[in-house]
Amino acid sequence: AQSVTQPDIHITVSEGASLELRCNYSYGATPYLFWYVQSPGQGLQLLLKYFSGDTLVQGIKGFEAEFKRSQSSFNLRKPSVHWSDAAEYFCANQAGTALIFGKGTTLSVSS
Amino acid sequence: EPEVTQTPSHQVTQMGQEVILRCVPISNHLYFYWYRQILGQKVEFLVSFYNNEISEKSEIFDDQFSVERPDGSNFTLKIRSTKLEDSAMYFCASSESTPPLHFGNGTRLTVT
């Protein structure tokens, strides 16, 4: 069965510092991969998606992610974190019509 | 920007009672979904719905659950006889075709 692993449960970064959130997927000849963000009390907002083509994808809010087939990874990055980026981040892989989510990484931003 | 709306935002029910969670998907979307997030756990797929029938369902989506699109705008999730372990945040989502999905803000279901 397909699975998505987010190894880091909680990460704290300083405001202005760079960020990388890790995501590994288990299977997919051509995986369809997504990053979503969830702020407290809110739904899931799509940050970016990868279907094919350029392995570096740009998303909203200054986020980007790089697909690396050799590492089965799709890590999320941001060069300079803002306090408003504090939230929970979910990586997901498409399986049929469903999305398989990782357990999420909680991002805290310190001043 | 069009969005998926869910009502109510919070529902409290007693064990054994039936609940209906309501969703209004984005109007031109054709695929509809329900997901569940138990507190502190990951978001789990329940069911996808297309062309007035279930496309796919997970092992969580047993006979206790049902979905319906009663009219041209609403999409509902019914839980027939709620259990304590059904307490969770339930997210509705929709998409034009297959993913990416657009999610609502969720309904927090508390079963007492």
Side-chain angles (χ1 to χ4, degrees), chain B residues 34 47-49 54 61 65-69 75-78:
Chain B
W34 284 100
V47 65
S48 59
F49 189 87
I54 290 174
F61 194 88
F65 293 91
S66 62
V67 290
E68 191 178 31
R69 187 153 164 83
F75 180 53
T76 62
L77 174 69
K78 182 190 290 185

Side-chain angles (χ1 to χ4, degrees), chain A residues 2-4 32-36 44 46 48-51 90-102, chain B residues 33-36 42-48 56 58 93-95 98-103:
Chain A
Q2 294 194 37
S3 67
V4 174
Y32 291 172
L33 298 162
F34 307 84
W35 276 99
Y36 282 85
L44 296 157
L46 178 69
L48 47 78
K49 61 185 183 289
Y50 171 77
F51 288 168
F90 293 94
C91 181
N93 188 8
Q94 182 177 341
T97 59
L99 286 182
I100 307 301
F101 283 88
Chain B
Y33 312 81
W34 284 100
Y35 285 77
R36 179 181 81 176
K42 64 180 175 181
V43 179
E44 300 173 292
F45 169 73
L46 293 178
V47 65
S48 59
E56 197 168 346
S58 71
S94 68
S95 62
T98 47
L101 277 56
H102 298 260
F103 285 84

Side-chain angles (χ1 to χ4, degrees), chain B residues 4 7 14 16 43 45 47 59 61 68 78 81 90 93 105:
Chain B
V4 176
T7 55
Q14 290 190 326
V43 179
F45 169 73
V47 65
E59 57 196 25
F61 194 88
E68 191 178 31
K78 182 190 290 185
S81 178
Y90 288 82
N105 285 343

Side-chain angles (χ1 to χ4, degrees), chain A residues 41, chain B residues 6-12 21-22 88-90 105-110:
Chain B
Q6 291 186 242
T7 55
S9 57
H10 190 189
Q11 174 131 19
V12 181
L21 309 183
R22 303 180 190 281
M89 182 73 89
Y90 288 82
N105 285 343
T107 293
R108 178 164 298 285
L109 176 66
T110 302

Side-chain angles (χ1 to χ4, degrees), chain A residues 13-34:
Chain A
V13 300
S14 299
E15 190 169 16
S18 64
L19 169 71
E20 182 168 31
L21 301 182
R22 297 183 290 165
C23 172
N24 294 96
Y25 63 93
S26 67
Y27 174 80
T30 305
Y32 291 172
L33 298 162
F34 307 84

